[in-house]
Coordinates of all heavy atoms in Angstrom, one line a residue:
G12 N 12.0 0.6 -2.6 CA 12.0 0.2 -4.0 C 10.9 -0.7 -4.4 O 11.0 -1.6 -5.2
G13 N 9.7 -0.4 -3.8 CA 8.4 -1.0 -4.4 C 8.0 -0.2 -5.6 O 8.8 0.6 -6.2
Q14 N 6.8 -0.4 -6.0 CA 6.3 0.3 -7.2 C 6.4 1.8 -7.2 O 6.8 2.4 -8.2 CB 4.8 -0.1 -7.5 CG 3.9 0.4 -6.4 CD 2.6 -0.3 -6.3 OE1 2.5 -1.5 -6.5 NE2 1.5 0.4 -6.1
A15 N 6.2 2.4 -6.1 CA 6.3 3.9 -6.0 C 7.7 4.3 -6.2 O 8.0 5.3 -7.0 CB 5.7 4.4 -4.7
G16 N 8.7 3.7 -5.5 CA 10.1 4.0 -5.7 C 10.6 3.8 -7.1 O 11.3 4.6 -7.6
L17 N 10.1 2.7 -7.7 CA 10.5 2.5 -9.1 C 10.0 3.5 -10.1 O 10.6 4.0 -11.0 CB 10.1 1.1 -9.6 CG 10.6 -0.1 -8.7 CD1 10.3 -1.4 -9.4 CD2 12.1 0.0 -8.6
A18 N 8.7 3.9 -9.9 CA 8.1 4.9 -10.7 C 8.9 6.2 -10.6 O 9.1 6.9 -11.6 CB 6.6 5.1 -10.4
E38 N 14.8 -8.8 -2.1 CA 14.4 -9.0 -3.5 C 13.4 -7.9 -4.0 O 12.8 -7.3 -3.1 CB 13.6 -10.3 -3.6 CG 14.3 -11.6 -3.3 CD 13.3 -12.7 -3.4 OE1 12.5 -12.9 -2.4 OE2 13.4 -13.5 -4.4
P39 N 13.3 -7.7 -5.3 CA 12.4 -6.7 -5.8 C 10.9 -7.2 -5.5 O 10.7 -8.3 -5.3 CB 12.6 -6.7 -7.3 CG 13.9 -7.4 -7.5 CD 14.1 -8.4 -6.4
G40 N 10.0 -6.2 -5.6 CA 8.6 -6.6 -5.5 C 7.9 -5.9 -4.4 O 6.6 -6.0 -4.3
G41 N 8.6 -5.2 -3.5 CA 7.9 -4.5 -2.3 C 7.0 -5.4 -1.6 O 7.3 -6.6 -1.4
A42 N 5.8 -4.8 -1.2 CA 4.9 -5.6 -0.4 C 4.3 -6.8 -1.1 O 3.8 -7.7 -0.5 CB 3.8 -4.6 0.0
W43 N 4.3 -6.8 -2.5 CA 3.6 -7.8 -3.2 C 4.2 -9.2 -2.9 O 3.5 -10.2 -3.0 CB 3.7 -7.5 -4.7 CG 2.9 -6.3 -5.1 CD1 3.4 -5.1 -5.4 CD2 1.5 -6.2 -5.1 NE1 2.4 -4.2 -5.7 CE2 1.2 -4.8 -5.5 CE3 0.4 -7.0 -4.9 CZ2 -0.1 -4.4 -5.7 CZ3 -0.9 -6.5 -5.0 CH2 -1.1 -5.2 -5.4
R44 N 5.4 -9.3 -2.5 CA 6.0 -10.6 -2.1 C 5.5 -11.1 -0.8 O 5.8 -12.2 -0.4 CB 7.5 -10.5 -2.0 CG 8.2 -10.3 -3.3 CD 9.5 -11.0 -3.4 NE 10.1 -10.7 -4.7 CZ 10.0 -11.4 -5.8 NH1 9.4 -12.6 -5.8 NH2 10.5 -11.1 -6.9
S59 N -2.9 -1.9 -14.8 CA -2.1 -2.0 -13.6 C -0.6 -1.7 -13.9 O 0.3 -2.3 -13.3 CB -2.2 -3.4 -13.0 OG -3.6 -3.7 -12.8
S60 N -0.4 -0.9 -14.9 CA 1.0 -0.7 -15.3 C 1.7 0.6 -14.7 O 1.0 1.6 -14.5 CB 1.0 -0.5 -16.9 OG 0.5 -1.7 -17.5
L61 N 2.9 0.5 -14.5 CA 3.8 1.6 -14.1 C 4.1 2.4 -15.4 O 3.9 1.9 -16.5 CB 5.0 1.2 -13.4 CG 4.8 0.5 -12.1 CD1 6.2 0.1 -11.5 CD2 4.1 1.5 -11.1
R64 N 6.6 0.7 -19.2 CA 6.4 -0.7 -19.6 C 5.1 -1.2 -19.1 O 4.8 -1.3 -17.9 CB 7.6 -1.5 -19.0 CG 7.3 -3.0 -19.0 CD 8.5 -3.8 -19.5 NE 8.3 -5.2 -19.4 CZ 7.7 -5.9 -20.3 NH1 7.3 -5.4 -21.4 NH2 7.6 -7.3 -20.2
M66 N 2.3 -3.8 -18.0 CA 2.3 -5.1 -17.3 C 1.8 -6.2 -18.3 O 0.7 -6.0 -18.8 CB 1.4 -5.1 -16.0 CG 1.5 -6.5 -15.3 SD 0.3 -6.6 -13.9 CE 1.1 -5.5 -12.7
P67 N 2.5 -7.2 -18.5 CA 2.0 -8.3 -19.4 C 0.8 -9.0 -18.8 O 0.8 -9.0 -17.5 CB 3.2 -9.2 -19.7 CG 4.1 -8.9 -18.5 CD 3.8 -7.5 -18.0
A77 N -0.5 -11.8 -7.0 CA 0.6 -10.9 -6.4 C 2.0 -11.4 -6.9 O 2.9 -10.5 -7.1 CB 0.5 -11.0 -4.9
R78 N 2.1 -12.7 -7.2 CA 3.4 -13.1 -7.6 C 3.8 -12.5 -9.0 O 4.9 -12.1 -9.3 CB 3.4 -14.7 -7.7 CG 4.8 -15.3 -7.4 CD 4.8 -16.8 -7.7 NE 4.1 -17.1 -9.0 CZ 3.3 -18.1 -9.2 NH1 3.1 -18.9 -8.3 NH2 2.8 -18.3 -10.4
H79 N 2.7 -12.5 -9.8 CA 2.9 -11.9 -11.2 C 3.3 -10.4 -11.1 O 4.2 -9.9 -11.8 CB 1.6 -12.0 -11.9 CG 1.6 -11.5 -13.4 ND1 2.3 -12.3 -14.4 CD2 1.2 -10.4 -13.9 CE1 2.2 -11.6 -15.5 NE2 1.5 -10.5 -15.3
V80 N 2.7 -9.7 -10.1 CA 3.1 -8.3 -9.9 C 4.5 -8.2 -9.5 O 5.3 -7.4 -10.0 CB 2.2 -7.6 -8.9 CG1 2.5 -6.1 -8.7 CG2 0.7 -7.7 -9.3
A81 N 4.9 -9.0 -8.5 CA 6.3 -9.0 -8.1 C 7.3 -9.3 -9.2 O 8.4 -8.7 -9.4 CB 6.5 -10.0 -6.9
E82 N 6.9 -10.2 -10.1 CA 7.8 -10.5 -11.3 C 7.8 -9.3 -12.2 O 8.9 -9.0 -12.8 CB 7.2 -11.8 -12.0 CG 7.6 -13.1 -11.3 CD 6.8 -14.3 -11.7 OE1 6.1 -14.2 -12.8 OE2 6.9 -15.3 -11.1
Y83 N 6.7 -8.7 -12.4 CA 6.7 -7.5 -13.3 C 7.6 -6.4 -12.7 O 8.3 -5.8 -13.4 CB 5.2 -7.0 -13.3 CG 5.0 -5.6 -13.9 CD1 5.3 -5.3 -15.2 CD2 4.6 -4.6 -13.1 CE1 5.1 -4.1 -15.7 CE2 4.4 -3.3 -13.6 CZ 4.7 -3.0 -14.9 OH 4.5 -1.8 -15.4
L84 N 7.5 -6.2 -11.4 CA 8.4 -5.2 -10.8 C 9.9 -5.5 -10.9 O 10.7 -4.7 -11.1 CB 8.0 -4.9 -9.3 CG 6.6 -4.4 -9.1 CD1 6.3 -4.2 -7.6 CD2 6.4 -3.1 -9.8
T85 N 10.2 -6.8 -10.8 CA 11.5 -7.3 -11.0 C 12.0 -7.0 -12.4 O 13.1 -6.5 -12.6 CB 11.6 -8.8 -10.7 OG1 11.0 -9.1 -9.5 CG2 13.0 -9.4 -10.7
D86 N 11.2 -7.3 -13.3 CA 11.5 -7.1 -14.7 C 11.7 -5.6 -15.0 O 12.6 -5.1 -15.7 CB 10.5 -7.7 -15.6 CG 10.7 -7.3 -17.1 OD1 11.7 -7.8 -17.6 OD2 9.8 -6.6 -17.6
Y87 N 10.8 -4.8 -14.4 CA 10.8 -3.3 -14.6 C 12.1 -2.7 -14.2 O 12.7 -1.9 -14.9 CB 9.6 -2.8 -13.8 CG 9.3 -1.3 -14.1 CD1 8.3 -0.9 -15.1 CD2 9.9 -0.3 -13.3 CE1 8.0 0.4 -15.3 CE2 9.6 1.0 -13.5 CZ 8.7 1.4 -14.5 OH 8.4 2.7 -14.7
E88 N 12.5 -3.1 -13.0 CA 13.7 -2.6 -12.4 C 14.9 -2.9 -13.3 O 15.8 -2.1 -13.5 CB 13.8 -3.3 -11.0 CG 14.9 -2.8 -10.1 CD 14.8 -3.5 -8.8 OE1 13.7 -3.6 -8.2 OE2 15.9 -4.0 -8.4
R89 N 14.9 -4.2 -13.8 CA 16.1 -4.6 -14.6 C 16.0 -3.9 -16.0 O 17.0 -3.4 -16.5 CB 16.0 -6.1 -14.9 CG 16.5 -6.9 -13.7 CD 16.9 -8.3 -14.1 NE 16.9 -9.1 -13.0 CZ 16.0 -10.1 -12.8 NH1 15.2 -10.4 -13.7 NH2 16.0 -10.8 -11.7
R90 N 14.9 -3.8 -16.6 CA 14.7 -3.3 -17.9 C 15.2 -1.8 -18.0 O 15.8 -1.4 -18.9 CB 13.2 -3.3 -18.3 CG 12.9 -2.7 -19.6 CD 11.4 -3.1 -19.9 NE 11.3 -4.5 -20.2 CZ 11.2 -5.0 -21.4 NH1 11.1 -4.2 -22.5 NH2 11.1 -6.3 -21.6
Y91 N 14.9 -1.1 -16.9 CA 15.3 0.4 -16.9 C 16.6 0.6 -16.2 O 17.1 1.7 -16.0 CB 14.2 1.2 -16.3 CG 13.0 1.3 -17.2 CD1 11.8 0.7 -16.8 CD2 13.0 1.9 -18.5 CE1 10.7 0.7 -17.7 CE2 11.9 1.9 -19.3 CZ 10.7 1.3 -18.9 OH 9.7 1.3 -19.7
L93 N 17.5 0.4 -13.1 CA 17.3 1.3 -12.0 C 18.3 0.9 -10.9 O 18.4 -0.2 -10.5 CB 15.9 1.3 -11.5 CG 14.8 1.7 -12.5 CD1 13.4 1.6 -11.9 CD2 15.1 3.1 -13.0
V95 N 19.0 0.2 -7.8 CA 18.4 -0.2 -6.5 C 19.4 -0.9 -5.6 O 20.0 -1.9 -6.1 CB 17.1 -1.1 -6.6 CG1 16.4 -1.3 -5.3 CG2 16.1 -0.4 -7.6
R97 N 20.0 -3.1 -2.3 CA 19.2 -3.9 -1.3 C 20.0 -5.0 -0.8 O 20.9 -5.5 -1.5 CB 17.9 -4.3 -1.8 CG 17.9 -5.2 -3.1 CD 16.6 -5.8 -3.3 NE 15.5 -4.9 -3.6 CZ 15.2 -4.5 -4.8 NH1 15.9 -5.0 -5.8 NH2 14.1 -3.7 -5.0
L333 N -0.9 0.8 -8.6 CA 0.1 0.7 -9.7 C -0.2 1.7 -10.8 O 0.8 2.4 -11.2 CB 0.0 -0.8 -10.2 CG 0.6 -1.9 -9.4 CD1 -0.1 -3.2 -9.6 CD2 2.1 -2.0 -9.6
V336 N 0.3 5.7 -9.6 CA 1.5 6.3 -9.0 C 2.3 7.0 -10.0 O 3.1 7.9 -9.7 CB 2.3 5.2 -8.2 CG1 3.1 4.3 -9.1 CG2 3.2 5.9 -7.2

Side-chain angles (χ1 to χ4, degrees):
Q14 65 201 38
L17 299 189
E38 294 176 284
W43 294 106
R44 288 216 185 265
S59 305
S60 301
L61 293 180
R64 165 132 174 89
M66 181 187 289
R78 211 187 48 217
H79 184 75
V80 181
E82 283 164 10
Y83 166 69
L84 296 180
T85 307
D86 173 65
Y87 188 92
E88 190 175 308
R89 283 204 201 109
R90 178 170 291 256
Y91 292 111
L93 299 178
V95 186
R97 61 165 64 89
L333 284 151
V336 75

